[in-house]
Structures are given as C-alpha cells and as structure tokens.
Amino acid sequence: LTYISSCALVLSILALVGCQKEEFPNEQQPSTPIFEVHGTIGNDALDIVAGDNNAFMYTSTKIKNGVRVFTGELSDGETSVEFGLFDGNIDIPNSTPEIAIQN
C-alpha cells in the first residue's frame, strides 16, 4: 500500500469507529385536538372533535369560477361540517372571453 492509501484507510476506519448512534427518548406528549366543532342545529347539539369517534379532518383544493378554494371537512361518518377559504372573489364570473367562430 502507498502512503496515501494507508492514510485514507486509517481515516476511513477512524470515521466509522468514531461515529455512534445517539438514541433520543421517545416522549410522546398527549395533545389536545386541533380541529373541533361545537354548536346547535335547531335543538340538536353538534359536537365533532377530530380523533374522537373516528372523526377526521379531510382537506382538498378546488377551483370555482376560476378561483382556488381551500376546503376542509370535519366528519365522523354521520355528521360533517365543511368550510372553505377562497383565494379571490368568486362573485366575479370567469373573465375568459368567449370567441365566436364562424365556418
């Protein structure tokens, strides 16, 4: 072996031996739900909490009148509440002009 090869071999061995895996404690903090809905519809109480009774928050992005809509639906399979955040004014119709083509 040459001098350079010997040095590279020694450095490689030192790098492998010098590295040790550090274990982090697995501390899972109990958390409170982020998404929940509480209210009444008529005389019926409405309580949906994400994580309770198989309730889940479903999200999606849609286009309505050329405007992007970020939607979320909190549902437990029987009852659901949906809301949307619009990235513009949906009351203005799509501004794409129509072109009449004649043959």
Side-chain angles (χ1 to χ4, degrees):
L1 292 171
T2 65
Y3 177 74
I4 295 175
S5 299
S6 298
C7 288
L9 180 63
V10 169
L11 288 175
S12 298
I13 291 173
L14 287 176
L16 290 174
V17 173
C19 296
Q20 293 181 352
K21 184 176 180 180
E22 184 177 340
E23 296 290 332
F24 290 104
N26 187 6
E27 297 179 18
Q28 293 184 348
Q29 301 291 331
S31 61
T32 58
I34 297 173
F35 304 110
E36 53 187 67
V37 173
H38 303 284
T40 57
I41 298 177
N43 293 329
D44 297 327
L46 173 67
D47 293 301
I48 305 174
V49 179
D52 291 350
N53 300 322
N54 296 321
F56 191 79
M57 179 67 153
Y58 302 94
T59 59
S60 64
T61 304
K62 303 174 185 175
I63 301 290
K64 183 172 182 178
N65 285 349
V67 176
R68 190 169 39 180
V69 183
F70 303 97
T71 64
E73 179 184 3
L74 183 59
S75 175
D76 63 4
E78 293 180 18
T79 308
S80 65
V81 175
E82 184 175 358
F83 63 90
L85 300 173
F86 296 87
D87 190 19
N89 190 345
I90 62 167
D91 293 333
I92 300 173
N94 195 349
S95 62
T96 306
E98 293 185 25
I99 301 173
I101 300 176
Q102 297 178 356
N103 290 337

